[in-house]
């Protein structure tokens, strides 16, 4: 007949699999948006690929000129011809408006930079950034898609010469709620969780709470040794507390002791 404490039982979420990223709670569509990890044979960083011709275009990781953390994607054009840059495939889009931003730096060229959503050779939506200077600058954009389905995101230039650095990029559905998926927030709210523990199990052993506060684009990506994946620190300490506010539960924060 005794009443049980409301917080006796609860839930937890962890940066594992698709719980947070890769189609989970966090609404980010792009993978490796901060351009960390190793470069492939074509010079594009993990989850990205070369877009356009190889002749006159060199792709490489740059550990000297960086915007966030210690690495960026460098695109060097030397007598290049045609549209070139990097792209990411296997995006699954909905027929809605998407919002995003790219952080760019460019020297030796005044050519505009283009972001686009494509399906094969078809351009679904695009926006042009006309002036990319020699200093890091953030360019917001909006891309509306009328038909959902698989697509690619491309970040390209027509520059015949010069160097373009890509510091980070982001693409989210416009109906996100503070970066989180609106449909999952509704589903979790319906569960009426009393408490939610974060950052969960083994992930907590390598997590530092200060990585998850402040400007998300400037938060360093960290390699999660528990699950052998890169963590962008987009869903961090700040976001976990906001998540609890949005679903109406108490936060249960874990610290690495």
């Amino acid at each position: 007949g005794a009443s049980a404490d409301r917080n006796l039982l609860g839930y937890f979420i962890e940066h594992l699999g698709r719980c947070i990223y890769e189609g989970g709670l966090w609404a980010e569509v792009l993978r490796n948006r901060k351009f960390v990890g190793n470069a492939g044979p074509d010079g594009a960083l993990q989850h990205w690929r070369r877009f356009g011709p190889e002749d006159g275009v060199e792709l490489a990781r740059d550990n000297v000129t960086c915007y966030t953390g210690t690495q960026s994607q460098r695109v060097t054009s030397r007598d290049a011809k045609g549209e070139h840059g990097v792209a990411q495939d296997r995006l699954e889009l909905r027929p809605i408006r998407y919002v995003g931003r790219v952080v760019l730096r460019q020297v030796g060229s005044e050519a505009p930079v283009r972001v686009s959503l494509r399906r094969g050779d078809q351009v679904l939506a695009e926006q042009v950034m006309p002036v990319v200077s020699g200093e890091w600058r953030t360019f917001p954009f909006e891309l509306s898609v009328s038909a959902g389905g698989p697509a690619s995101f491309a970040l390209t230039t027509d520059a015949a010469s010069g160097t373009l650095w890509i510091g980070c990029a982001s693409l989210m559905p416009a109906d996100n709620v503070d970066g989180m998926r609106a449909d999952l927030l509704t589903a979790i709210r319906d569960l009426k969780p009393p408490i939610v523990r974060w950052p969960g199990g083994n992930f907590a052993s390598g997590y530092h709470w200060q990585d998850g506060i402040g400007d998300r684009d400037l938060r360093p990506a960290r390699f999660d040794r528990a699950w052998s994946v890169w963590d962008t620190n987009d869903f961090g300490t700040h976001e976990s507390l906001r998540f609890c506010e949005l679903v109406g539960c108490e936060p249960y924060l874990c610290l690495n002791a």
Side-chain angles (χ1 to χ4, degrees):
S3 61
D5 189 290
R6 179 175 184 269
N7 293 332
L8 180 63
L9 299 175
Y11 299 81
F12 88 97
I13 55 177
E14 181 175 5
H15 293 237
L16 169 63
R18 298 178 63 190
C19 180
I20 305 295
Y21 303 123
E22 300 281 346
L25 177 61
W26 195 243
E28 179 62 57
V29 175
L30 298 178
R31 302 176 299 279
N32 191 19
R33 77 177 196 89
K34 294 183 177 177
F35 296 91
V36 294
N38 295 321
D42 62 355
L45 291 167
Q46 185 176 354
H47 295 299
W48 296 86
R49 64 167 173 85
R50 176 188 292 271
F51 182 99
E54 294 185 18
D55 292 344
V57 180
E58 179 190 56
L59 303 183
R61 63 179 184 179
D62 194 319
N63 301 110
V64 177
T65 303
C66 316
Y67 179 76
T68 178
T70 59
Q71 189 165 284
S72 66
Q73 175 76 66
R74 187 176 68 230
V75 181
T76 304
S77 307
R78 299 185 182 93
D79 195 26
K81 295 177 176 61
E83 187 181 9
H84 56 276
V86 295
Q88 186 171 133
D89 303 323
R90 296 190 300 109
L91 308 185
E92 195 65 33
L93 302 182
R94 295 153 53 200
I96 60 169
R97 180 171 61 94
Y98 284 83
V99 294
R101 63 192 178 278
V102 288
V103 181
L104 307 171
R105 181 176 185 265
Q106 183 172 244
V107 297
S109 173
E110 295 183 355
V113 176
R114 180 182 294 106
V115 293
S116 60
L117 292 171
R118 302 172 181 239
R119 183 168 295 136
D121 295 331
Q122 179 188 8
V123 177
L124 304 176
E126 66 177 358
Q127 185 171 324
V128 176
M129 289 59 173
V131 179
V132 180
S133 67
E135 302 297 327
W136 288 111
R137 182 179 166 191
T138 300
F139 296 86
F141 63 84
E142 295 186 7
L143 300 172
S144 294
V145 180
S146 58
S152 301
F153 174 82
L155 199 159
T156 58
T157 178
D158 293 322
S161 61
T163 303
L164 172 70
W165 288 269
I166 311 169
C168 63
S170 177
L171 181 69
M172 286 191 176
D175 62 357
N176 77 84
V177 180
D178 293 340
M180 288 165 261
R181 282 177 49 181
D183 58 339
L184 287 185
L185 288 175
T186 299
I188 296 170
R189 193 181 297 117
D190 289 345
L191 291 173
K192 297 181 173 57
I195 57 173
V196 173
R197 191 183 84 186
W198 181 88
N202 292 336
F203 177 82
S205 63
Y207 184 74
H208 197 296
W209 69 270
Q210 286 182 321
D211 285 346
I213 59 176
D215 187 337
R216 282 196 291 267
D217 287 349
L218 290 173
R219 296 179 190 175
R222 305 287 192 201
F223 189 73
D224 172 19
R225 289 179 170 82
W227 304 115
S228 298
V229 294
W230 282 95
D231 176 65
T232 59
N233 276 308
D234 286 333
F235 188 93
T237 310
H238 184 107
E239 289 72 25
S240 70
L241 294 172
R242 179 61 178 145
F243 163 76
C244 290
E245 290 178 340
L246 291 170
V247 301
C249 71
E250 291 295 320
Y252 176 4
L253 292 178
C254 293
L255 296 179
N256 173 16

